[in-house]
Amino acid sequence: MKLGLVTDCLADRSLEEAAAVCRRLGLEQVELGCGNWSPAPHVDLEKLTADAGARHRLLDTLAENGLTVSALNCSGNPLFPGEKGARDRAVAEGTFLLAEQLGLDTVVMMSGLPGGSPEDRTPTWIVTSWPPETEEILRYQWQAAVPVWKDLAARARDHGVRHIALEFHGWQLVYNVETLRRLQCEAGGDILGVNLDPSHLFWMGADPLEVARALSDCIYHVHIKDVRLEKAAGQNTLLDTKGVLEFASRSWNFVTPGRGHDAAWWRRFLETLRDCGYDGPLSIEQEDYTIPLEEALDQAVSLLRQVLPA
C-alpha cells in the first residue's frame, strides 16, 4: 500500500507547492481533483486534455518530488436535474479522457442523486421507508439513475478506465453495500466499485471493516479520514446539518486519523484491507478543521506509518 494525499486540502497552493508538501511528508502519490466539488486548482481539465505539453509538465512536477498520480477525482452529481447534472457529467467525461491520456485506470466519483420526480429541480435523499411516498420516489430515482450510469460506465470503458471508485456519502443514491451492488447489477458491472472512506460510514452507522469484507472484490481506492462522535449527538442524533466549520456544536466531526478511532482500530482496518487483497493507494483526505493543517497532516502520516501492515 502506498501513502498519498487528496490535494484538495492544499487548494490555496500551486501544484509545485502542494507537491513540495507531499515530498516533506514522505508521500508517494497524489489524488488530483478535476473540478465539480473539488476546490483544488491543480488540474485545468480543458487545458490538460488539449495540451500534451501541459500534461508532461504536470507529471514532471510530481516526479521531481517523488510522486505519481493514484487516481483522478471528479466527484459531483451527474444525476442532478437539468443543466447542473449535464455539466457534472461533462466533467466526468473529460476526466475519463484525461485518465486515458495520463495512463491511469481509476477515477474516483460519487454516484450522484436525482430529484424525486421528473418535475423536481433539486435532489431528494430518501433514508426511510415512511411516509409511503418515499417508495415511489425511490422507484423513480433508480429509473432515472440507471440509464445515466450505463452511459457513464460505457464512456469510461471507451477511455480505458477499468475502475470507477464510488465513495459512499450522504445525499447520494449509492451510500452503502446494498446500493452499490444494485448499481453494479443494473448499470455498470464490475467497472463500478468502492472508494472506501471509513469516515462517512462511521456517521451513517456502518462498520467499515464489515463493508470492506463485503466488497473485497471491488475495493478500488481508499480514503483515509476519521470521524469523532461528539456530545451533541446524545441530544441531536448524528443527522447534523451544521457546516463543518461549526465543529464546536456539531454531533460529529471529521478529524485526523487517531483522533476519532485509535491506532488499534486503524491497524485492524489496514489489516482487513490486506486480507481482502487490497494493495492500492491510501489517500489521506484532510478535513479536520479543529487543528492546523500541517499538524493534522503530520499526525495522519505518523499514525499510518505506525500501523501499516508489514
Side-chain angles (χ1 to χ4, degrees):
M1 301 179 194
K2 293 184 177 181
L3 299 187
L5 181 70
V6 183
T7 61
D8 284 7
C9 66
L10 301 172
D12 61 338
R13 310 186 193 195
S14 68
L15 177 66
E16 292 78 8
E17 292 168 332
V21 170
C22 294
R23 181 183 62 203
R24 180 188 71 77
L25 292 167
L27 301 179
E28 299 173 84
Q29 296 186 317
V30 289
E31 178 184 338
L32 298 174
C34 294
N36 285 339
W37 291 332
S38 171
H42 309 128
V43 170
D44 182 330
L45 197 56
E46 184 175 351
K47 179 178 181 179
L48 286 171
T49 52
D51 185 347
R55 296 195 295 274
H56 288 307
R57 288 191 292 275
L58 180 145
L59 294 177
D60 287 346
T61 297
L62 297 178
E64 289 165 4
N65 290 276
L67 299 167
T68 59
V69 182
S70 64
L72 300 178
N73 188 320
C74 62
S75 292
N77 190 347
L79 303 177
F80 204 105
E83 293 183 3
K84 184 182 185 309
R87 289 195 300 272
D88 284 9
R89 290 192 295 276
V91 170
E93 292 169 16
T95 303
F96 299 154
L97 171 59
L98 182 59
E100 178 182 29
Q101 293 170 328
L102 295 177
L104 301 172
D105 66 2
T106 300
V107 172
V108 177
M109 299 180 66
M110 294 186 191
S111 66
L113 186 67
S117 73
E119 295 78 28
D120 279 2
R121 298 173 61 187
T122 57
T124 300
W125 190 33
I126 299 299
V127 292
T128 176
S129 62
W130 192 91
E133 300 93 303
T134 59
E135 296 182 19
E136 182 57 36
I137 291 171
L138 274 175
R139 278 193 292 271
Y140 167 76
Q141 288 184 315
W142 280 95
Q143 290 168 0
V146 166
V148 173
W149 270 103
K150 281 184 176 179
D151 183 62
L152 285 170
R155 291 175 182 269
R157 288 190 184 96
D158 289 344
H159 290 293
V161 174
R162 297 176 55 241
H163 298 143
I164 296 176
L166 294 178
E167 183 173 344
F168 296 166
H169 199 293
W171 209 65
Q172 302 297 307
L173 192 63
V174 171
Y175 61 93
N176 59 17
V177 172
E178 183 178 77
T179 49
L180 175 64
R181 290 301 194 196
R182 180 172 178 179
L183 193 66
Q184 285 177 323
C185 179
E186 298 185 22
D190 61 5
I191 193 173
L192 300 179
V194 64
N195 172 45
L196 187 58
D197 183 332
S199 66
H200 307 298
L201 296 170
F202 286 137
W203 74 260
M204 289 192 290
D207 181 342
L209 305 183
E210 288 190 26
V211 171
R213 296 185 191 106
L215 296 176
S216 61
D217 61 310
C218 61
I219 302 173
Y220 294 158
H221 198 74
V222 171
H223 275 179
I224 300 295
K225 187 168 62 175
D226 205 348
V227 154
R228 181 175 62 229
L229 305 186
E230 310 289 9
K231 290 182 179 179
Q235 296 181 9
N236 296 330
T237 80
L238 294 178
L239 304 178
D240 198 317
T241 58
K242 299 182 190 72
V244 292
L245 296 181
E246 300 178 76
F247 49 81
S249 60
R250 284 178 55 85
S251 295
W252 57 269
N253 283 299
F254 293 126
V255 292
T256 302
R259 294 170 64 89
H261 294 76
D262 62 16
W265 186 91
W266 284 96
R267 181 176 289 107
R268 289 196 302 274
F269 179 62
L270 297 188
E271 288 173 347
T272 299
L273 291 175
R274 178 199 60 192
D275 294 344
C276 290
Y278 183 78
D279 192 31
L282 302 174
S283 196
I284 298 166
E285 188 177 29
Q286 161 52 26
E287 294 183 4
D288 187 342
Y289 300 103
T290 68
I291 59 175
L293 171 64
E294 300 282 352
E295 180 181 344
L297 292 175
D298 286 339
Q299 288 184 13
V301 172
S302 176
L303 180 138
L304 288 171
R305 296 202 185 282
Q306 174 188 341
V307 302
L308 270 171

